[in-house]
Amino acid sequence: MSLTAGDTAPRRLTAGDAAAMQALEAACFSLPWSEEQCRAAFSQQAFVAYGLEEAGVLQGFSLYQAADELEVLNLAVLPVARRQGLGERLLRTALQEAEKTGINRALLEVRTGNAPAIALYEKCGFVRVGKRPRYYADTGEDALIYQCDLAPQD
């Protein structure tokens, strides 16, 4: 069955989804999280993860956030799904959920060469606010820091 935006619903993941999270990470990255790392992350009260589900099967998506100020730790989207716009849907869902919990600002870091991710973040309202030189140890690439205000400031 192919992925379509209409068939897929974001859902919050739990520690019981650690094995699925491990599989998602393996599908999206060369250095996936171990099941131990997934369970450790879920044991932190501030940590939240979202997945997308089609016909009861968890697909290749995950987004993590940490408490008071939303930090997008990782948005993992398989290329086939990215082309169908599901990464945007997942990110918007996470931002809406964060706003409901009183979080006013979201932050994220992205590799300078990751044009698809940068385009997605900018489309979702993020603006560049800084840079960390040579942040990524594997390539020596810079990290761009993006921010998005979720609620009007008083």
Side-chain angles (χ1 to χ4, degrees):
M1 185 183 302
S2 65
L3 291 171
T4 63
D7 297 336
T8 307
R11 72 174 169 91
R12 232 171 134 142
L13 305 179
T14 67
D17 291 303
M21 290 291 292
Q22 182 184 25
L24 298 183
E25 294 300 316
C28 295
F29 297 101
S30 57
L31 295 172
W33 279 22
S34 67
E35 185 161 347
E36 225 174 69
Q37 288 171 307
C38 291
R39 291 194 183 282
F42 277 113
S43 71
Q44 300 169 31
Q45 192 172 5
F47 181 91
V48 178
Y50 294 91
L52 287 175
E53 188 165 42
E54 181 190 48
V57 177
L58 192 63
Q59 302 293 339
F61 303 85
S62 56
L63 185 143
Y64 317 119
Q65 68 187 52
D68 48 348
E69 191 170 63
L70 169 65
E71 183 183 358
V72 180
L73 301 176
N74 184 31
L75 176 64
V77 183
L78 293 173
V80 64
R82 187 186 310 125
R83 287 191 293 272
Q84 295 173 2
L86 297 181
E88 179 181 351
R89 187 170 175 198
L90 179 60
L91 181 56
R92 288 191 189 280
T93 296
L95 294 175
Q96 288 167 0
E97 290 295 315
E99 190 174 355
K100 284 181 198 172
T101 64
I103 293 173
N104 294 325
R105 182 174 297 125
L107 295 170
L108 61 84
E109 292 170 346
V110 61
R111 291 176 187 265
T112 53
N114 192 344
I118 291 170
L120 168 63
Y121 299 142
E122 290 177 350
K123 185 176 181 181
C124 289
F126 283 86
V127 294
R128 183 176 159 186
V129 294
K131 180 166 73 169
R132 291 197 175 146
R134 298 172 300 285
Y135 181 73
Y136 292 97
D138 58 342
T139 62
E141 205 169 351
D142 296 345
L144 301 178
I145 302 166
Y146 276 78
Q147 175 181 306
C148 178
D149 291 329
L150 303 179
Q153 300 297 312
D154 292 332

